[in-house]
Amino acid sequence: MLTVDFTRFPLAAGDRVLDLGCGAGRHAFECYRRGAQVVALDRNGEEIREVAKWFAAMKEAGEAPEGATATAMEGDALNLPFPDESFDVVIISEVMEHIPDDKGVLAEMVRVLKPGGRIAITVPRYGPEKVCWTLSDAYHEVEGGHIRIYRADELLGKIRGAGLKPYGTHHAHALHSPYWWLKCAFGVGRDGKDAALPVRAYHKLLVWDIMKKPAVTRVAEQLLNPVVGKSFVAYATKPHLPVAAAAEDLSRAEA
């Protein structure tokens, strides 16, 4: 289940991609399949080990084209272990709402992104997320949980403030919003067989949708995304250094 729409966020074979806060690796795997040179980074060592296993399995199965590479590593989003301008593409999906210093994370992403590079940022959307917070304190008051809810204009303002140029936005995963409202209403800590019947029933619907991708749910989600899409997605580029500034930097270097 991808939150980033690669028809709006083009990826070329050979692009060097950082999936920051990769979690279980869903976007990293897709970039690998598309021929990128992928680095999947997360602070959770257990998840990183699983991502590394899946990368190895994908290589063994021939799922990635020739020239594609994939590395999984532990790391700190506020202190990335890469030189300046290392990546053509950075993806950070459902991560920034967890981190107190979100401006610091943005600054690090901008630092490692090449001029002209592209960045995709996804966060929970304000409206559906606000419903979850209202229904359940346990949804967000956990260690490492969500510490803020972004409004779209707030996130775009921070993106611009970091020196990036937004070029597109959309919403995703409308069918998942009711699932989380049900979980919050019946108890977020109740999973599997312990979950309430409405939660279990809706979960079966989501699994069916993900596995089968039927036209009826695909169309329904497209229609509902602008209204109750669970995620807000923003795309931006890192501008090239203006000609005047580049000339000034060159004159300083020659002095």
Side-chain angles (χ1 to χ4, degrees):
M1 183 187 73
L2 300 175
T3 308
V4 172
D5 181 352
F6 286 94
T7 65
R8 310 182 196 215
F9 190 66
L11 190 68
D15 275 351
R16 185 162 167 78
V17 177
L18 173 62
D19 185 0
L20 181 56
C22 65
R26 58 200 173 103
H27 288 106
F29 299 149
E30 181 65 20
C31 293
Y32 189 32
R33 291 187 187 97
R34 289 171 178 262
Q37 298 175 5
V38 184
V39 176
L41 183 144
D42 200 284
R43 65 183 298 180
N44 186 318
E46 183 176 344
E47 287 197 310
I48 282 298
R49 287 187 287 274
E50 284 298 311
V51 169
K53 290 178 183 177
W54 279 105
F55 278 150
M58 291 173 67
K59 182 178 181 180
E60 181 69 20
E63 289 190 38
E66 185 176 353
T69 62
T71 302
M73 62 186 295
E74 290 185 58
D76 181 357
L78 289 165
N79 186 23
L80 295 174
F82 310 112
D84 296 355
E85 302 179 5
S86 298
F87 294 94
D88 303 290
V89 172
V90 177
I91 296 171
I92 183 166
S93 183
E94 312 299 302
V95 173
M96 287 180 57
E97 67 275 10
H98 296 271
I99 301 176
D101 186 7
D102 57 348
K103 290 184 178 180
V105 173
L106 275 167
E108 272 293 88
M109 290 190 290
V110 171
R111 180 183 69 79
V112 302
L113 186 64
K114 296 177 182 179
R118 303 172 304 285
I119 188 165
I121 299 173
T122 91
V123 298
R125 184 183 187 176
Y126 184 87
E129 183 77 348
K130 188 69 174 178
V131 173
C132 290
W133 282 46
T134 300
L135 289 172
S136 171
D137 290 337
Y139 171 79
H140 63 97
E141 291 182 355
V142 295
E143 184 178 356
H146 298 184
I147 63 171
R148 69 173 66 82
I149 309 176
Y150 288 101
R151 292 187 182 274
D153 56 355
E154 175 194 2
L155 180 60
L156 290 172
K158 289 186 176 184
I159 290 171
R160 293 187 183 95
L164 297 167
K165 184 178 180 180
Y167 70 84
T169 65
H170 64 90
H171 300 99
H173 309 318
L175 295 182
H176 287 250
S177 290
Y179 172 70
W180 282 102
W181 297 338
L182 288 169
K183 278 187 69 74
C184 288
F186 287 98
V188 292
R190 299 171 60 187
D191 294 313
K193 293 181 179 179
D194 293 331
L197 178 59
V199 177
R200 296 201 309 270
Y202 201 95
H203 184 263
K204 287 182 180 180
L205 170 66
L206 291 180
V207 171
W208 173 73
D209 173 57
I210 292 170
M211 298 301 294
K212 301 296 184 180
K213 298 181 175 61
V216 62
T217 55
R218 296 298 86 219
V219 171
E221 186 156 74
Q222 289 178 8
L223 293 173
L224 291 171
N225 274 337
V227 183
V228 292
K230 183 73 169 66
S231 295
F232 173 71
V233 188
Y235 305 109
T237 58
K238 179 178 178 178
H240 289 277
L241 193 65
V243 174
E248 183 177 347
D249 285 352
L250 180 61
S251 64
R252 287 176 181 171
E254 292 175 345

